[in-house]
Amino acid sequence: MTRLLDPLRDEDPLPPSRVDIDQAVRIGRRRVRVRWSGAAVIVVVVAVLVPVLGLPGNGGSSVGPATQPELAIDYPEFDPMRRVVEVGDVRGVEPFSYTTARQWQRVNLQIGKSGFATLTVYAPGREATDAEGIMQPETGTPGQPVGGRASYWLSRGSNEVLAWQWAAGAWAFINLQSADDGSEPDRDTMRAIAQAVQVHDKAGEQVAMPFTVPLPAPYQLIGTTTQLRSAGDPFVRTGLLFATEDPADPDRQYSGVSVHVENGSKMAMHAGANQNVDGHPAMVADQEVIIFDAADDFAVDVEGTGEADLLPIARGVQLVPAPSDRSTWVTQPVS
């Protein structure tokens, strides 16, 4: 069992982590190439495509308390093709992936050398849930205010969660997991991250993709995933998520299809290639199809449940003429 939201690959090494990254809409598939909880997730952290995310340098300064202006919320959900969450500079904290959905948005963060955190921001009026069920922040231990609003500490399994309202009736949660050295989650770091979070208006930052794909029946677009890199890093893994319903719970398993494109050395190795598709080496399995060397050293990677016919979906992906040039990416990738 792996996840529909799968922005991470083992491209460039980071220290190993025990964190379960991007616990979101999940699907079954035959193979697991990304190593999750209990193993190493190898990924480089920094931003690409997301100017709304403020990324710190190695010597970033800590963020002190701040009060967000009162927001006039007039929309019931997020646009899955826009990113609305900004994480300002916090010493030792860097975003490394971003997932959009209509009812929530999620940013995964690296903490120090081997710690990780998940920031989940819910749309106004949405009930927050996790793998343990409904989250009731007011039943937790009161903490210091965040953005002028009350915050609460919750125990969820073995992890501690900081919850606060980023606007009236709209909750945000930070789940910080222990580093591999056994150190406990740092409440000061969690508070600093919370103080650095801003949720922008419904316009947000437009998501762009280096490809187009026909809408795979019977699904609808439910979100996007992007592995974040620095502006000068050419590595790309980004994609679209399709399912029959919008995921209300980031940690619940859903059936669906993910369509990603990726470049870099891992795809250049043609690992698992077992046939030729339209003149390109490809790996074709029941729950995953990868077409290598589709264009400009990019591969097309489609994953889904057994009910989906993945090969026609993969063959329908059309990369833009120069996918390495982000200025050519499109904001309406579903045709």
Side-chain angles (χ1 to χ4, degrees), residues 17-171:
S17 170
R18 295 181 297 144
V19 70
D20 191 354
I21 296 178
D22 221 356
Q23 294 179 336
V25 187
R26 305 181 187 185
I27 56 172
R29 75 173 178 187
R30 182 180 60 86
R31 303 187 300 122
V32 177
R33 293 194 318 280
V34 180
R35 283 163 269 165
W36 298 102
S37 184
V41 177
I42 306 173
V43 46
V44 166
V45 182
V46 279
V48 63
L49 248 192
V50 196
V52 71
L53 287 176
L55 298 184
N58 292 334
S61 59
S62 299
V63 173
T67 301
Q68 290 191 166
E70 188 71 21
L71 298 177
I73 304 300
D74 61 354
Y75 54 99
E77 61 184 25
F78 298 130
D79 181 345
M81 287 303 297
R82 291 185 178 274
R83 303 186 184 96
V84 300
V85 180
E86 176 183 355
V87 182
D89 285 0
V90 179
R91 186 184 300 277
V93 177
E94 294 183 279
F96 65 84
S97 74
Y98 197 118
T99 301
T100 67
R102 285 186 173 83
Q103 300 189 37
W104 47 267
Q105 297 205 356
R106 174 168 282 183
V107 184
N108 287 316
L109 307 161
Q110 184 191 7
I111 311 297
K113 293 183 178 180
S114 59
F116 289 87
T118 298
L119 165 65
T120 306
V121 175
Y122 285 84
R126 299 296 176 177
E127 186 174 65
T129 59
D130 65 4
E132 296 189 13
I134 297 174
M135 301 179 74
Q136 298 176 307
E138 293 94 336
T139 64
T141 302
Q144 297 178 6
V146 174
R149 295 181 180 275
S151 70
Y152 302 90
W153 295 100
L154 308 174
S155 294
R156 308 298 288 183
S158 60
N159 298 320
E160 192 168 42
V161 176
L162 176 60
W164 75 99
Q165 292 188 71
W166 61 268
W171 288 94

Side-chain angles (χ1 to χ4, degrees), residues 45-51 55 228-236 324 326:
V45 182
V46 279
V48 63
L49 248 192
V50 196
L55 298 184
L228 306 180
R229 293 290 181 111
S230 60
D233 192 321
F235 178 76
V236 172
S324 295
R326 292 181 175 85

